[in-house]
């Protein structure tokens, strides 16, 4: 198993550009989520999905869109990047949600800089 | 809303010394509690978790944590720290069964002096 994979590892954008951060898992996990990590802020939940076709907002959803067309993939879209979205983004997955006894597995992260 | 406080931003300990990292949570009922570790430039790895039962939980890499309801705390401990334990540690909470939102503390960075 490759686990949770994220692409790209690094990305630099200009303000107003759009891009999609990719996340994939090969463990047949129903639950997937996106976090952003900023210095001194810990990780904050952006969006999550409990299965294909089902998504919901987390703590900091503004400026981000998600969709879940397959169990394996959960892309995060920035429609119009802003400097405030400069951050490290982590994708995570688990068999069920974090309140189940299943471990959440984290990807290696994508470091995004918006100029 | 649930919240997690890690009072110590940065802790430095000598190799071989004991370690305790503090975590306090805010939630009315019994939450589900987690400790994660993040090595520099890496993703997060689960150290241990508490859902119910025995309040002293054993984890990987020789770590343990104790849930104290009266103090709303879930402190992480290790009897003897190794240089490889230098990393950032995050406490996290889920508000209970059926919740899909994991809330993290701001983290404690651990430095280890040889």
């Amino acid at each position: 198993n490759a686990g949770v994979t994220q692409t790209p590892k690094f990305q630099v954008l200009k303000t107003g550009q759009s891009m999609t951060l990719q996340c994939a898992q090969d463990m047949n996990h129903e639950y997937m989520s996106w976090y952003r990590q900023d210095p001194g802020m810990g990780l904050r939940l952006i969006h999550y999905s409990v299965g294909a076709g089902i998504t919901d907002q987390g703590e900091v959803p503004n400026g981000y869109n998600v969709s879940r067309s397959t169990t394996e993939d959960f892309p995060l879209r920035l429609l119009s990047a802003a400097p405030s979205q400069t951050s490290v983004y982590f994708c995570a997955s688990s068999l069920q949600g974090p309140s189940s006894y299943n471990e959440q597995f984290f990807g290696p992260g994508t470091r995004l800089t918006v100029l | 809303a649930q919240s997690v406080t890690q009072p110590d931003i940065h802790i430095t300990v000598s190799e071989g010394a004991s370690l305790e990292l503090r975590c306090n949570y805010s939630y009315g009922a019994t939450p589900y509690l987690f400790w994660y570790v993040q090595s520099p430039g890496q993703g997060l790895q689960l150290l241990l978790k508490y859902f119910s039962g025995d309040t002293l939980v054993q984890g990987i890499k020789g770590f343990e944590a104790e849930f104290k309801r009266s103090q709303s705390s879930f402190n992480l401990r290790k009897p003897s720290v190794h240089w490889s334990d230098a990393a950032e540690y995050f406490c996290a909470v889920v508000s209970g069964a059926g919740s899909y939102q994991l809330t993290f503390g701001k983290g404690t960075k651990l430095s280890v002096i040889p």
Side-chain angles (χ1 to χ4, degrees):
Chain A
N1 287 349
V4 180
T5 58
Q6 293 184 236
T7 55
K9 291 188 187 303
F10 302 94
Q11 183 71 50
V12 178
L13 292 178
K14 295 181 179 179
T15 297
Q17 287 185 315
S18 63
M19 82 158 295
T20 299
L21 307 185
Q22 301 292 345
C23 173
Q25 52 88 13
D26 61 357
M27 298 173 281
N28 204 30
H29 286 171
E30 291 295 325
Y31 180 86
M32 296 184 74
S33 55
W34 277 102
Y35 295 87
R36 60 177 289 173
Q37 183 179 28
D38 303 295
M41 296 295 294
L43 278 79
R44 292 180 292 170
L45 182 65
I46 304 172
H47 285 285
Y48 65 93
S49 169
V50 298
I54 307 170
T55 64
D56 206 346
Q57 297 180 352
E59 180 185 355
V60 288
N62 292 342
Y64 306 96
N65 282 349
V66 293
S67 60
R68 183 102 178 263
S69 57
T70 67
T71 299
E72 295 78 19
D73 301 297
F74 190 44
L76 179 72
R77 298 183 184 85
L78 285 71
L79 297 179
S80 179
S84 61
Q85 294 177 305
T86 294
S87 188
V88 181
Y89 292 84
F90 289 98
C91 180
S93 77
S94 61
L95 194 58
Q96 296 168 323
S99 62
S100 72
Y101 211 66
N102 308 113
E103 179 176 348
Q104 273 210 103
F105 293 88
F106 283 80
T110 293
R111 185 174 294 274
L112 176 67
T113 301
V114 183
L115 303 176
Chain B
Q2 63 206 34
S3 66
V4 178
T5 302
Q6 293 181 247
D8 305 304
I9 297 173
H10 190 186
I11 285 181
T12 300
V13 300
S14 298
E15 192 168 15
S18 63
L19 171 70
E20 183 169 26
L21 302 181
R22 296 183 291 165
C23 171
N24 293 97
Y25 66 89
S26 172
Y27 179 64
T30 300
Y32 298 163
L33 295 157
F34 307 80
W35 275 101
Y36 285 87
V37 61
Q38 184 181 35
S39 299
Q42 303 294 315
L44 275 72
Q45 181 183 22
L46 179 67
L47 285 175
L48 47 79
K49 57 192 172 187
Y50 173 78
F51 275 41
S52 65
D54 192 348
T55 56
L56 185 62
V57 181
Q58 301 298 321
I60 62 171
K61 304 185 180 186
F63 286 92
E64 66 178 27
E66 186 171 12
F67 170 62
K68 292 186 177 180
R69 184 192 304 273
S70 61
Q71 298 177 18
S72 297
S73 70
F74 188 57
N75 293 350
L76 182 72
R77 301 193 294 246
K78 187 169 186 178
S80 177
V81 170
H82 189 262
W83 64 265
S84 60
D85 293 323
E88 190 155 21
Y89 292 80
F90 294 93
C91 184
V93 63
V94 172
S95 59
S99 173
Y100 291 106
Q101 301 209 25
L102 185 62
T103 300
F104 283 85
K106 295 184 178 182
T108 298
K109 184 176 180 180
L110 174 67
S111 296
V112 180
I113 300 173

